[in-house]
Structures are given as structure tokens and as C-alpha cells.
Amino acid sequence: ASTSGGDQPSDLFKVSGCKPMGQCELCPGGKRSGKTACEETGRRQEFLCYEDPDIGGDDDGSEREVKYQSCKRSAVDEEYLMVSALQRIAVQHSDSYNAINYLLDNLTYLLSFV
């Protein structure tokens, strides 16, 4: 299991018998929100952690606690990265398209120098 955005599996998930309860999200207030899980990246992911990870499960009566872990990319970050990549591709394609059209439009003129 991994956190959203291609992060490596969370330390909480690997060590403490915690289960992710949501995706990585932006912290209200960002890095300066005063929340420990937000200090590193300004993003956090919610986990449900069981007192005894071996018996932890839904409705089994074991003690559980909600904890937050810093994470790297939220869904908003992923959308931004995708849009940025698509814009770069569009610009590169646009430049190539314009260059080809310029060459085709001026082909006769350019061939007169050969």
C-alpha cells in the first residue's frame, strides 16, 4: 500500500499497524498550520492506527486512534503537474507545427537557393 501521488509507503502504515483513511491533502494553513504532520511538506494524510496492530480491524473492539503523517503530493498537486506537462507538450508541438508551416509556406523560395 502506498500514499497517493506515488509516495513511498508511509512510516505509520509500515510500522504501527495503521491504515490510510484518506488521500494526501493540503493542510489548512499550510506548513505554518501548527500541526506537526504539516510542518515538512504542508500536506498530510489521515491514518487509523490500532493499539494492537495484529488484531486491529473494523469493529473488533481494539483501541484505535486517528493520526496524521506528512505526505508529498495531494490530488491538487497531481492535477497541477499534469496540466503543466500538457502545457509544455502543447507549446513544443505548437512551435514544431509553426516551424513546419513556415517551411512549407516558403518552400518555393527556399528551393530557389539550391
Side-chain angles (χ1 to χ4, degrees):
S2 66
T3 58
S4 86
D7 288 3
Q8 295 302 312
S10 165
D11 293 337
L12 283 174
F13 185 75
K14 290 189 298 185
V15 176
S16 305
C18 298
K19 297 179 182 180
M21 297 304 293
Q23 294 186 354
C24 184
E25 59 187 21
L26 296 173
C27 294
K31 288 183 177 184
R32 295 185 178 95
S33 67
K35 308 225 184 274
T36 305
C38 297
E39 291 174 355
E40 186 178 336
T41 64
R43 293 155 187 78
R44 68 182 184 177
Q45 184 174 9
E46 182 180 17
F47 287 83
L48 185 59
C49 301
Y50 295 92
E51 184 178 306
D52 185 350
D54 295 329
I55 63 169
D58 297 333
D59 300 325
D60 65 359
S62 64
E63 292 291 321
R64 52 187 180 230
E65 177 183 4
V66 173
K67 294 184 179 181
Y68 290 92
Q69 175 79 26
S70 180
C71 54
K72 294 179 184 173
R73 292 187 188 156
S74 68
V76 172
D77 295 318
E78 291 293 335
E79 289 173 18
Y80 173 78
L81 291 172
M82 180 61 74
V83 168
S84 295
L86 290 173
Q87 286 176 332
R88 283 193 302 274
I89 291 168
V91 167
Q92 289 172 351
H93 177 70
S94 174
D95 290 345
S96 298
Y97 178 78
N98 290 336
I100 290 169
N101 277 335
Y102 175 80
L103 289 173
L104 290 174
D105 289 344
N106 295 291
L107 186 59
T108 305
Y109 175 74
L110 291 171
L111 288 175
S112 68
F113 292 104
V114 177

